[in-house]
Amino acid sequence: MIGFQFVAGGGVLGRDLRWKTCDREYGRARFFEKKNKAVRSFGFEPVKCSLTAGKTAYADVKLPENPNLRRGTLPNGFEYNILPNDSPSGRFEAHLEVFAGSTVEDEDQQGIAHVVEHVAYMGSEKRERLLSGTGASTNAHTDFHHTVFFAACPTYIPRTGRSSMVMALDALLDVMEAKIEPARVEKERAAILSEMLMVNTIEYRVECQLLASLHAENVIPNRFPIGLEEQIKAWTADDVKRFHRTHYRPNNAVLYVAGDFDSVDKVEEEIVKKFSNLKNYPIEKDVAKGTLKETRSRHFPAVVHDWSNLITPLDAPTDVRLFRHELLSSFSLHVYAKNPLQEVKTMSNFR
């Protein structure tokens, strides 16, 4: 949206470069000399700059990455990220992101990504075991583009003193290896139909209308994650299993583990041991080249957007939509300008 931009990170280095960039060579050199100690205190190495014609050469330098971050990719394509962080102490979180949201659903699958979320995690015995007397909490959510499962746990189980990392990773592994049985599907189907009734408020309907207007040119208005009731009632366990087999693949998922744990090496060893045996089954999904979906998920159909033209004449035709409902008690006007997100990867991007 015009006028709004969120930039994550920065620290002392990012803030000062944005606020205090100098035009004079002398002032700039003194600035970087003064800030190097502060930058190192955040765990980063200062960006090295050359001073030529009063301009710094940091434009193409990548933004600094936390030196404690451990990244890896298993032979089957499964990606993982491990970041030690002792605040708060004695806690860690593990998040599994699967790039399968509602926009990958076919016409007869509207809502099935959400069903798979419930069956794979909410119905998991390993998840229930993790929750039993450990002080852990878990949840999951499905949106248009991905499904995320998480576990927030104490580093050690209070009653036994054993690490809960293995149990948390087992629960997330169970998502990828879910046993999709008829009884499990029926139980979660009932929960989803109940959830559908709870969210069907006038506020939710207005939100659906706003998103439908903003994304009228693509599939999003016809793929709200909650799905269609008549289809949810009709699916069999085989239907759910087919969607899971297609999208819950190691090369279509990323694991994030962050928190207070004893050893990054031990966490990585557990991840490698547990997730290396996952298999990628053949699929028949075409992906448009050069799209976000191609780079982040090889198995998504592309979601195409019509971006706003900022030089469109004021008297040009405008798409106006009206939503009325007897439960609405007020009037609101929404004006949109739809523009692509700009990547922030280098110092010049950040400026």
Side-chain angles (χ1 to χ4, degrees):
M1 291 303 160
I2 293 178
F4 295 90
Q5 182 179 3
F6 175 77
V7 180
V12 169
L13 177 63
R15 292 199 305 271
D16 284 338
L17 283 179
R18 183 174 58 186
W19 293 347
K20 299 183 180 179
T21 299
C22 306
D23 288 330
R24 292 182 301 149
E25 181 174 321
Y26 176 73
R28 193 190 310 269
R30 290 200 61 186
F31 162 71
F32 279 105
E33 181 182 356
K34 180 180 178 181
K35 295 303 178 182
N36 279 351
K37 290 184 179 180
V39 170
R40 287 193 178 96
S41 71
F42 279 80
F44 299 116
E45 281 300 313
V47 176
K48 296 180 180 179
C49 303
S50 63
L51 305 173
T52 306
K55 301 291 184 181
T56 58
Y58 65 75
D60 296 325
V61 175
K62 290 184 178 181
L63 291 174
E65 184 175 275
N66 191 312
N68 296 319
L69 176 64
R70 177 82 58 88
R71 298 178 183 269
T73 303
L74 301 180
N76 57 13
F78 186 82
E79 299 177 36
Y80 60 87
N81 300 270
I82 309 169
L83 181 64
N85 179 19
D86 59 4
S87 180
S89 62
R91 303 284 301 183
F92 74 88
E93 291 194 13
H95 293 238
L96 176 67
E97 180 182 21
V98 180
F99 296 100
S102 58
T103 54
V104 307
E105 297 166 349
D106 294 331
E107 283 296 321
D108 60 351
Q109 293 181 322
Q110 295 183 51
I112 202 167
H114 185 215
V115 171
V116 171
E117 171 213 313
H118 274 253
V119 173
Y121 201 40
M122 302 307 170
S124 166
E125 292 182 359
K126 292 182 179 179
R127 171 181 168 269
E128 293 177 1
R129 195 176 306 139
L130 173 63
L131 292 174
S132 179
T134 64
S137 62
T138 65
N139 213 330
H141 72 267
T142 302
D143 68 12
F144 294 106
H145 300 300
H146 62 190
T147 302
V148 179
F149 308 84
F150 82 85
C153 311
T155 305
Y156 299 102
I157 301 172
R159 53 183 177 155
T160 65
R162 293 188 296 115
S163 171
S164 59
M165 179 65 71
V166 173
M167 296 177 67
L169 294 178
D170 278 340
L172 295 176
L173 176 63
D174 204 35
V175 168
M176 303 296 292
E177 299 179 328
K179 297 178 180 178
I180 300 176
E181 301 166 340
R184 195 158 159 176
V185 171
E186 290 305 320
K187 178 182 177 181
E188 298 306 322
R189 191 199 317 267
I192 290 168
L193 293 174
S194 176
E195 182 180 336
M196 179 176 284
L197 291 175
M198 288 192 298
V199 303
N200 190 24
T201 63
I202 187 59
E203 291 79 14
Y204 175 76
R205 297 183 192 186
V206 169
E207 181 182 352
C208 290
Q209 291 296 321
L210 294 177
L211 287 173
S213 177
L214 184 61
H215 301 294
E217 74 278 13
N218 57 46
V219 72
I220 286 178
N222 299 315
R223 291 295 186 275
F224 283 96
I226 198 65
L228 299 180
E229 182 178 359
E230 61 272 19
Q231 291 192 16
I232 294 171
K233 290 180 176 179
W235 293 322
T236 65
D238 287 339
D239 296 323
V240 178
K241 188 181 300 183
R242 189 176 304 111
F243 185 90
H244 183 276
R245 185 184 178 94
T246 299
H247 296 285
Y248 280 62
R249 313 159 51 80
N251 63 0
N252 198 38
V254 180
L255 177 68
Y256 309 87
V257 181
D260 186 13
F261 34 78
D262 293 334
S263 167
V264 172
D265 291 335
K266 289 183 179 179
V267 174
E268 184 175 36
E269 183 181 335
E270 285 295 333
I271 292 172
V272 172
K273 181 170 67 175
K274 293 182 181 301
F275 291 89
S276 291
N277 294 327
L278 296 174
K279 293 181 173 58
N280 291 300
Y281 296 99
I283 61 170
E284 299 176 1
K285 285 279 184 182
D286 294 326
V287 178
K289 298 298 181 183
T291 66
L292 174 66
K293 297 298 184 264
E294 181 189 18
T295 56
R296 292 304 295 148
S297 174
R298 304 159 186 82
H299 321 298
F300 268 171
V303 175
V304 180
H305 296 277
D306 290 340
W307 306 115
S308 300
N309 185 351
L310 299 183
I311 60 173
T312 300
L314 293 177
D315 59 351
T318 302
D319 183 18
V320 178
R321 295 169 180 264
L322 177 65
F323 174 63
R324 294 185 294 182
H325 197 281
E326 61 184 4
L327 295 179
L328 285 173
S329 57
S330 61
F331 168 82
S332 62
L333 175 66
H334 302 263
V335 181
Y336 297 109
K338 185 177 179 181
N339 296 293
L341 292 173
Q342 301 299 313
E343 66 178 15
V344 182
K345 294 183 178 180
T346 66
M347 299 301 293
S348 58
N349 293 152
F350 187 78
R351 291 183 64 195

